[in-house]
């Protein structure tokens, strides 16, 4: 999430600061996605949380494409190429 947020900032799409881990954790708790015990923990967040955070913090909508293996990614090649041609924004693969 912080990497994607940094890209938006470096491209001058936002002037908002890059959030700290604690700020991110507090935002997820405030949004009702995590319990209070999440704040200060070392738990990771995933694509769903990153998507929620981008929407909440920047008003950026995103799409999650489920791919079960690297081989399946080949089937998404045209879709990914079209994304970069039309939008140019980063993607997360994990």
């Amino acid at each position: 999430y912080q990497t994607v947020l940094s890209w938006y900032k470096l491209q001058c799409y936002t002037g908002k600061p890059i959030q700290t881990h604690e700020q991110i954790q507090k935002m997820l708790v405030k949004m009702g996605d995590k319990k209070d015990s999440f704040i200060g923990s070392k738990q990771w967040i995933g694509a769903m949380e990153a998507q929620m955070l981008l929407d909440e913090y920047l008003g950026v909508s995103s799409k999650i494409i489920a791919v079960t293996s690297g081989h399946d990614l080949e089937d998404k090649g045209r879709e990914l190429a079209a994304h970069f041609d039309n939008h140019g924004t980063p993607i997360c693969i994990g």
Side-chain angles (χ1 to χ4, degrees):
Y1 166 73
Q2 287 174 312
T3 303
V4 175
L5 189 57
S6 295
W7 184 89
Y8 279 95
K9 187 171 178 71
L10 289 170
Q11 299 300 315
C12 299
Y13 289 127
T14 185
K16 291 186 174 186
I18 307 304
Q19 296 169 299
T20 65
H21 289 164
E22 184 177 355
Q23 290 169 324
I24 293 166
Q25 291 170 334
K26 286 180 178 179
M27 183 182 254
L28 287 168
V29 169
K30 183 179 176 186
M31 293 168 61
D33 183 65
K34 303 289 182 203
K35 295 181 181 181
D36 287 340
S37 60
F38 182 66
I39 298 171
S41 74
K42 295 184 184 209
Q43 294 177 19
W44 288 71
I45 64 169
M48 297 295 289
E49 290 94 348
Q51 182 181 39
M52 292 169 45
L53 289 162
L54 284 170
D55 185 44
E56 180 72 18
Y57 192 59
L58 295 183
V60 171
S61 62
S62 56
K63 175 179 167 183
I64 293 179
I65 300 170
V67 178
T68 57
S69 72
H71 179 66
D72 294 339
L73 189 58
E74 184 178 326
D75 296 336
K76 302 294 183 184
R78 283 191 175 91
E79 187 174 354
L80 291 171
H83 168 81
F84 288 120
D85 287 344
N86 297 323
H87 306 288
T89 54
I91 63 167
C92 299
I93 298 177

